[in-house]
Amino acid sequence: MTTHSHSTGHQAPAGAAHAPHPHESAHLHVAGEATYVDDMPPLAGTLHAALGLSERAHAEITALDLSAVRASPGVVAVLTAADIPGENNCGPIVHDDPILAAEHVQYCGQPIFAVLAESHDAARRAARRASVDYADLPAVLTPEAAKRQQAYVLPPMHLKRGDAPRALAGAPRRLAGEFRVGGQEHFYLEGQVAYVAPREDDTLQVWCSTQHPTEMQRVVCHALNLRSHRVVVETRRMGGGFGGKESQSALFACVAAVAAHRLRRPVKLRLDRDDDFLISGKRHGFHYAYDVGFDDDGRVRALKLEMTSRAGFSADLSAPVATRAVCHVDNAYYLSDVDIQALSGKTNTQSNTAFRGFGGPQGAIVTEYLLDTIARELGQDPLAVRKRNFYGRGERDLTPYGQTVEDNVLPELVDELEASSGYWRRREAVRAFNADSPVLKKGLALTPVKFGISFNVAHYNQAGALVHVYTDGSVLVNHGGTEMGQGLNTKVAQVVAHELGIGLHQVRATATDTSKVANTSATAASTGADLNGKAAEDAARRIRTRLAAFAAARFGGSPEAVEFADDTVRVHGNAIAFAELASQAYQARVQLWSDGFYATPKLHWDRLSMTGRPFYYFAYGAAVSEVVVDTLTGEWKLLQADLLHDAGDSINPAIDIGQVEGAFLQGMGWLTLEELWWNPDGRLMTHAPSTYKIPATNDCPPVLHTRLFDNRNREPTILRSKAVGEPPLLLAFSVFFAIRDAVASLADHRVAPPLVAPATPEAIMRAVTATRSPRGVPGEGRTAPAK
Ligand code: MTE
Ligand code: LUZ
Ligand code: MOS
């Protein structure tokens, strides 16, 4: 039997806000009519670009012969680094990301040249005809190797609180070991793509699948030595971004722009899936070395942790990723004495980047791993140990980075989920099943989430919007955020409709455009609706205030008493249709459009000491997963998942439940199915769906209960909602730890299986073998040897 229930915990009101409206483009998505960049009707004279890629992980190019490429049918031009008039860099923070590699290649797949041809196919065929001579250099391929060689893309980060060495020495119990999690390919359905048209007077129009149009404008301008007012970037929607189009759309926008500018023809660069995998960065895999002290109740007394990420060949966003990792090691738990180091290992692989959670999942999972390990050591249920370590209220509530947790709802949220999922009853049922089942073993786990909301770079926490009310009462809203499927435009339109008291169908959101709202932040850190919703509310409120003043002047009464609801304006005993009032206001020369702006309050951060208030608030959640594992083959199935997530007072419960379920499954893919494999020569072998498996509908558990936790934001966020894009990805920890629980049952839960992520069947079998005949101390969380 299949049960699949969604419930929002409250009745949907009829209005524009706090209601489960369908996604603004749902009717277009299902009909195949939503326009993505590659669906735009081609402009006359369009050329197609393809990239020639490095065949080596680390080498000097000693000879580059592109004559066969140039002679290939349909080829119009071939460009190399020498053809970039401005700066050959597309890195977002550190200038260490060449658009096209010149003499030095730093990973297998790095673009060296671009072919421009009359067709996509001709460009791709020609790109393979280059003759390149390389002089190989030593390559670093894993975070462990980078750490051994002290090869980093950034200086180390360090957060200390209390006296970890002393607290470790004094702790009744202590465990040291290693843990490891893999990276993750974004696998957005729409790959990276940019289309650039040269326009009059040295200006460019750029259409790009990007989460960050302003950044694309900036890097294109730098590559071409143009001022910002000559380049317009437009993004109507992406077919998914997941962080992979925050900075890494830059290379493709730059190549298309350089070619279009030079050849004076429109240029489209749409990557093939394999090239997308080979060129673009992914989630950072992490290696951890830990030393944890705890007491007989499983309370953590001290943690010393060294995390090393696989940053890839350049910095990209590795610094803010490492910062977010450090600020999520605590997850839901009070850690009094910590010494946390984050190292960003320089490897000769793709430059890793933002991916849903942005280091937060990698920071939080290691502490979940340790609490799970501690529970095995003590022979207790992991949930009991977790709860004993939870943040308190009014005490034990200061994070290691100095922010007080003021809005902690985990005690209630976890109580509710424990009851609704029947955790303890099912714990007994799992035990009974396992007692009678020698090969198939069930496992159960409940894991909590606390996720900090705001960009950890304070100045990114701002947004702008532009709202137009037309004289027929219809409304257009434009804002700095981008739509990647997450429903941002729907939520922003709901906010505007709510503010003006009109139906949602009266409001349309238009394509993000750097010539409408300037200096925007990336749509990232889950802040899209928080920031742009507030900016749009501000713009709509300014228009409403002007309309109220006009209505009161015309019909009497005070402007404050004018009401906007149900497409009607009620003023001094009169009821006027909103459209009629707009038309009258226009006649009276009242401005019917406005900008709006928002900057998140209360934030501050000291980069060196890693302390401050990086987050405006926290989002919470918890999940229970039950799995069955075949301990002879390592195959497993998720039988049931119960998700309870805090989206504040949800603006759109239907969209938010979609985000919770999508993030959960994507997180499950990261921790169980998806494995990136580089050959010893540095070649990424998993570069297509044939070798890289993401979750599909049949990986959805047959029983999936998803609910939103009723919890109005205590901070005055947009309509008291909470950000929801990334936090629920961490709900997938429950799947990983349910698998670990099933394996632990082989040794009566007295051994902590050395399971690493992704928990592929091979990884599960290694953990099974180690659990059946543990080498080290029982309960010790040492990992299996590498590869
Ligand atoms: N949902 C869909 N459908 N597609 C996406 O690409 N990206 C996620 C999340 N949900 C994504 C998504 C990521 S990484 C982030 S940061 C947020 O959406 C960004 O959007 P928001 O801030 O508007 O929630
Ligand atoms: N910080 C963050 C960032 O928390 N999330 C992000 O996506 C991000 N992007 C760029 C810089 N800092
Ligand atoms: Mo999301 S990783 O912040 O784009």
Side-chain angles (χ1 to χ4, degrees):
M1 195 192 69
T2 293
T3 66
H4 195 93
S5 77
H6 316 286
S7 120
T8 61
H10 44 209
Q11 302 263 221
H18 305 303
H21 294 286
H23 190 284
E24 123 273 340
S25 291
H27 62 295
L28 305 176
H29 294 153
V30 296
E33 285 171 10
T35 308
Y36 298 85
V37 173
D38 199 39
D39 299 322
M40 292 170 50
L43 298 164
T46 292
L47 292 173
H48 300 263
L51 297 167
L53 311 183
S54 166
E55 297 278 324
R56 302 300 170 84
H58 192 198
E60 294 296 335
I61 295 177
T62 51
L64 178 64
D65 179 0
L66 298 173
S67 51
V69 182
R70 284 202 174 84
S72 212
V75 170
V76 172
V78 182
L79 304 180
T80 63
D83 299 305
I84 298 168
E87 191 192 357
N88 181 15
N89 168 64
C90 58
I93 302 172
V94 181
H95 290 210
D96 60 352
D97 260 301
I99 299 165
L100 295 172
E103 294 88 26
H104 186 201
V105 288
Q106 298 193 73
Y107 71 100
C108 190
Q110 182 166 25
I112 302 171
F113 63 91
V115 190
L116 287 307
E118 298 292 350
S119 77
H120 180 73
D121 196 49
R124 280 181 53 77
R125 285 175 192 282
R128 298 200 192 109
R129 302 205 173 138
S131 157
V132 190
D133 293 340
Y134 301 93
D136 285 317
L137 296 166
V140 177
L141 294 177
T142 63
E144 294 91 319
K147 190 175 173 183
R148 276 196 300 276
Q149 303 190 15
Q150 301 203 6
Y152 303 118
V153 293
L154 304 164
M157 292 183 186
H158 210 154
L159 171 61
K160 285 192 198 184
R161 197 252 299 262
D163 187 346
R166 213 181 61 168
L168 272 173
R173 291 163 178 263
R174 192 164 166 178
L175 288 171
E178 293 172 55
F179 179 52
R180 184 177 309 121
V181 299
Q184 187 178 22
E185 161 63 34
H186 299 87
F187 220 123
Y188 20 62
L189 288 183
E190 178 208 31
Q192 302 274 4
V193 55
Y195 195 5
V196 181
R199 293 273 161 88
E200 66 169 33
D201 201 17
D202 227 11
T203 64
L204 292 174
Q205 174 72 36
V206 180
W207 296 274
C208 184
S209 185
T210 182
Q211 293 171 238
H212 203 345
T214 289
E215 174 74 3
M216 299 310 106
Q217 179 190 30
R218 191 184 71 87
V219 291
V220 162
C221 286
H222 285 193
L224 288 169
N225 286 326
L226 294 176
R227 309 284 313 283
S228 298
H229 63 195
R230 289 190 190 272
V231 174
V232 174
V233 181
E234 183 186 307
T235 301
R236 170 58 187 94
R237 62 168 64 79
M238 282 158 275
F242 305 112
K245 295 170 180 171
E246 178 171 342
S247 61
Q248 301 231 344
S249 41
L251 190 146
F252 315 106
C254 285
V255 168
V258 167
H261 188 255
R262 182 187 177 98
L263 302 170
R264 308 266 100 217
R265 287 174 69 171
V267 171
K268 189 197 283 188
L269 174 48
R270 172 173 67 75
L271 290 196
D272 234 64
R273 184 63 63 177
D274 302 74
D275 287 350
D276 201 313
F277 264 85
L278 290 169
I279 298 169
S280 68
K282 304 153 202 324
R283 183 190 293 284
H284 295 68
F286 270 54
H287 171 269
Y288 312 84
Y290 61 80
D291 193 346
V292 63
F294 54 100
D295 64 21
D296 294 336
D297 290 330
R299 275 207 188 81
V300 174
R301 292 278 183 89
L303 173 63
K304 185 168 172 358
L305 178 67
E306 272 180 19
M307 306 189 273
T308 311
S309 73
R310 178 202 288 273
F313 82 98
S314 71
D316 188 83
L317 298 172
S318 294
V321 165
T323 305
R324 186 168 279 275
V326 169
C327 293
H328 282 77
V329 165
D330 59 329
N331 194 24
Y333 311 105
Y334 178 68
L335 302 174
S336 59
D337 296 76
V338 299
D339 180 329
I340 303 170
Q341 269 214 69
L343 306 165
S344 300
K346 181 175 164 92
T347 52
N348 293 105
T349 50
Q350 295 78 2
S351 186
N352 287 331
T353 191
F355 195 136
R356 207 170 194 171
F358 202 80
Q362 294 97 317
I365 195 170
V366 64
T367 297
E368 293 299 341
Y369 183 84
L370 293 179
L371 292 174
D372 200 75
T373 303
I374 289 169
R376 306 310 176 193
E377 177 79 8
L378 300 174
Q380 299 188 9
D381 192 278
L383 177 57
V385 171
R386 287 192 162 95
K387 286 167 81 169
R388 245 170 256 143
N389 282 284
F390 273 178
Y391 274 111
R393 262 192 291 239
E395 43 140 24
R396 292 167 55 88
D397 61 356
L398 193 65
T399 62
Y401 49 91
Q403 174 164 357
T404 302
V405 184
E406 297 168 341
D407 53 9
N408 184 8
V409 292
L410 275 174
E412 298 88 321
L413 190 151
V414 168
D415 278 354
E416 189 179 321
L417 181 66
E418 231 176 278
S420 67
S421 68
Y423 179 86
W424 294 106
R425 174 177 49 74
R426 283 165 62 199
R427 168 60 69 203
E428 283 317 307
V430 163
R431 204 184 298 281
F433 175 92
N434 287 343
D436 287 342
S437 175
V439 172
L440 295 183
K441 295 290 184 185
K442 286 191 177 177
L444 184 71
L446 185 157
T447 56
V449 177
K450 167 179 132 289
F451 195 89
I453 302 301
S454 296
F455 282 97
N456 53 25
V457 177
H459 75 268
Y460 288 2
N461 295 286
Q462 58 173 306
L466 187 59
V467 172
H468 295 334
V469 173
Y470 294 99
T471 55
D472 63 357
S474 66
V475 177
L476 210 55
V477 56
N478 189 271
H479 57 86
T482 54
E483 177 63 43
M484 58 194 97
Q486 85 279 38
L488 174 60
N489 281 345
T490 313
K491 288 183 180 178
V492 172
Q494 285 180 268
V495 165
V496 171
H498 176 80
E499 189 61 31
L500 296 175
I502 57 181
L504 183 56
H505 63 284
Q506 306 283 7
V507 184
R508 288 179 59 78
T510 54
T512 317
D513 185 325
T514 57
S515 67
K516 289 187 176 162
V517 174
N519 312 327
T520 57
S521 294
T523 307
S526 304
T527 61
D530 281 25
L531 298 175
N532 297 286
K534 272 286 191 188
E537 180 189 58
D538 179 44
R541 189 161 290 168
R542 287 168 196 275
I543 299 168
R544 195 187 70 181
T545 302
R546 289 185 205 131
L547 282 172
F550 165 72
R554 175 153 299 184
F555 298 100
S558 79
E560 293 74 38
V562 179
E563 282 174 25
F564 293 77
D566 309 321
D567 290 291
T568 305
V569 182
R570 290 186 177 77
V571 47
H572 205 58
N574 301 279
I576 312 156
F578 179 82
E580 173 59 23
L581 185 72
S583 167
Q584 290 188 19
Y586 165 74
Q587 297 286 335
R589 295 188 286 179
V590 174
Q591 184 185 344
L592 288 179
W593 57 272
S594 177
D595 65 326
F597 184 75
Y598 178 72
T600 314
K602 296 188 176 179
L603 303 176
H604 58 96
W605 180 246
D606 182 67
R607 207 159 45 85
L608 283 182
S609 66
M610 302 197 82
T611 56
R613 178 177 181 151
F615 306 123
Y616 189 30
Y617 62 89
F618 296 98
Y620 299 91
V624 176
S625 290
E626 181 175 343
V627 300
V628 60
V629 175
D630 182 330
T631 56
L632 286 183
T633 64
E635 289 166 288
W636 62 279
K637 251 177 88 70
L638 177 59
L639 300 172
Q640 178 172 339
D642 291 72
L643 318 179
L644 183 57
H645 193 81
D646 163 26
D649 193 350
S650 170
I651 296 175
N652 188 320
I655 282 174
D656 286 354
I657 281 175
Q659 286 292 297
V660 172
E661 294 185 342
F664 172 73
L665 286 175
Q666 192 168 40
M668 181 181 94
W670 168 47
L671 293 173
T672 61
L673 302 175
E674 298 176 42
E675 185 170 36
L676 293 163
W677 184 271
W678 287 267
N679 265 4
D681 66 358
R683 195 172 292 267
L684 178 68
M685 299 308 286
T686 49
H687 54 77
S690 52
T691 43
Y692 187 84
K693 175 79 176 73
I694 61 170
T697 44
N698 63 320
D699 295 301
C700 221
V703 183
L704 176 59
H705 299 141
T706 310
R707 283 182 308 121
L708 298 181
F709 183 71
D710 218 346
N711 187 36
R712 193 177 137 83
N713 200 331
R714 69 199 295 283
E715 296 294 345
T717 52
I718 186 67
L719 298 169
R720 299 277 174 173
S721 65
K722 287 194 179 183
V724 72
E726 298 167 287
L729 185 125
L730 287 74
L731 296 175
F733 291 177
S734 59
V735 180
F736 181 81
F737 290 106
I739 294 173
R740 197 176 190 219
D741 185 58
V743 178
S745 74
L746 291 169
D748 197 25
H749 298 280
R750 298 302 306 227
V751 173
L755 184 67
V756 294
T760 57
E762 293 89 335
I764 291 172
M765 285 317 296
R766 280 194 292 269
V768 163
T769 306
T771 304
R772 283 215 164 100
S773 49
R775 280 178 303 254
V777 188
E780 198 185 37
R782 280 199 186 280
T783 53
K787 305 235 172 95

